Amino acid sequence: MARTSGPETREKLIRAAEELFASRGVDGAQLREIVARAGQSNPSAVQYHFGSRAGLLDAVMAGRQARTERVLAPLLERAGDDLRGLVTVLVTAEASELRTERGRRCLRISAQLSHESGVRTGTPHPTLAGTAYWRLIERTGACLAAAGLPRPLLLERLDLALTVIGAALADRARQYLDGTEPLTDEALFLADLAGTTTALLGAPSPTPSGPSGPAEPTDSS
């Protein structure tokens, strides 16, 4: 059997992890399964190349982010600062992963990690720091702040919007991988996703009703 180099083994482990994290879930896939799928005999191969399960997952997501960045960065340079335009850039860039089986698997993985972006704290995950993706999030947040949205609500909405986009694209990816016929063509699907996400982000700030919820109607009789 031909001996593979370190970088080749690392890439095989990443590819195997993409397949199993997508099909079994980030928490469901076993490291021994990943090692076996990658054709490795050393049971500690993941620890040797990535340090831990989390390190392997970060490597998978770093590759996925690099591919998305190549699409997103030039789109963001040409984008204005209107909310619909920024959301459309994000949806377009994320949807580029639908083009390949590898990208479809990674969409299914990243949807499981949507709340780990760092949006809620304002501090990006290390794989997002300094990226065009994070600059887009900041510019979108600035739009919402200019509209008068309080910062805590602004952060929650941004996080929710990323979750909605991620879940929708992951489900579309699942349909493609399974050979299921989608209800709508891709152009309509993406346009609707951008429109509904923009509406979610741009909804007026609600009037707080207090911790007990809306007041009960009083009996005037």
Side-chain angles (χ1 to χ4, degrees):
M1 179 183 295
R3 186 171 181 270
T4 59
S5 67
E8 288 173 323
T9 300
R10 180 183 173 89
E11 181 64 16
K12 287 180 179 179
L13 289 165
I14 288 174
R15 291 292 191 125
E18 289 171 352
E19 292 181 25
L20 290 170
F21 285 154
S23 62
R24 301 188 187 278
V26 168
D27 297 322
Q30 300 297 312
L31 292 185
R32 64 177 179 272
E33 292 180 293
I34 293 171
V35 170
R37 179 70 61 91
Q40 303 304 302
S41 57
N42 181 358
S44 301
V46 169
Q47 287 81 356
Y48 177 81
H49 288 279
F50 303 97
S52 65
R53 179 192 195 88
L56 174 58
L57 183 57
D58 282 347
V60 168
M61 288 294 95
R64 177 252 199 276
Q65 187 61 38
R67 294 191 300 274
T68 303
E69 281 283 299
R70 288 194 288 270
V71 178
L72 192 153
L75 292 175
L76 186 60
E77 284 185 8
R78 300 192 297 268
D81 285 320
D82 65 292
L83 187 59
R84 176 61 183 260
L86 291 171
V87 172
T88 299
V89 165
L90 177 58
V91 169
T92 301
E94 293 282 86
S96 65
E97 286 286 85
L98 289 171
R99 303 280 67 77
T100 66
E101 284 199 11
R102 183 179 197 181
R104 294 165 189 171
R105 293 189 185 103
C106 286
L107 284 172
R108 297 196 66 187
I109 297 167
S110 57
Q112 302 172 57
L113 308 171
S114 62
H115 295 297
E116 297 183 17
S117 62
V119 165
R120 284 176 177 263
T121 63
T123 302
H125 186 278
T127 59
L128 299 179
T131 62
Y133 185 91
W134 192 258
R135 291 196 298 276
L136 186 150
I137 289 173
E138 290 179 324
R139 285 170 62 175
T140 304
C143 285
L144 301 181
L149 207 64
R151 184 163 176 78
L153 186 57
L154 180 158
L155 295 176
E156 283 194 339
R157 279 203 192 170
L158 280 174
D159 190 61
L160 178 58
L162 295 180
T163 300
V164 168
I165 292 171
L169 289 173
D171 186 60
R172 191 80 175 195
R174 177 194 59 77
Q175 292 175 65
Y176 287 175
L177 288 167
D178 293 347
T180 304
E181 184 69 25
L183 290 172
T184 58
D185 65 61
E186 191 171 296
L188 178 58
F189 164 73
L190 295 178
D192 187 59
L193 180 58
T196 53
T197 305
T198 301
L200 182 158
L201 287 169
S205 180
T207 302
S209 57
S212 298
E216 293 293 331
T218 57
D219 187 351
S220 58
S221 58

